[in-house]
Amino acid sequence: MAELTINQLIKLILAILVIIAVVVGVYFVFKNKVADFIHNIPSGNVSDLILSLI
């Protein structure tokens, strides 16, 4: 098994922090849009649901 050097460990930690920051940023940008989309979905007919997705 390969040993983790200090440089590799720093790169790994930075990569994890960047991924977390991107996920949190995407969540904050789209949280209201996704909630509005879910609330506006018609619940009566399946064909209306399919047409609203197109």
Side-chain angles (χ1 to χ4, degrees):
M1 185 176 209
E3 295 180 12
L4 283 177
T5 63
I6 297 297
N7 289 338
Q8 290 174 334
L9 191 59
I10 291 171
K11 288 178 186 178
L12 182 65
I13 292 171
L14 286 176
I16 291 171
L17 290 175
V18 167
I19 290 171
I20 291 172
V22 168
V23 169
V24 169
V26 168
Y27 169 74
F28 281 123
V29 167
F30 290 111
K31 71 177 181 179
N32 292 332
K33 294 179 183 179
V34 172
D36 289 340
F37 177 74
I38 291 172
H39 291 299
N40 291 332
I41 291 178
S43 61
N45 196 351
V46 175
S47 63
D48 290 339
L49 174 63
I50 293 172
L51 290 174
S52 70
L53 293 175
I54 296 176

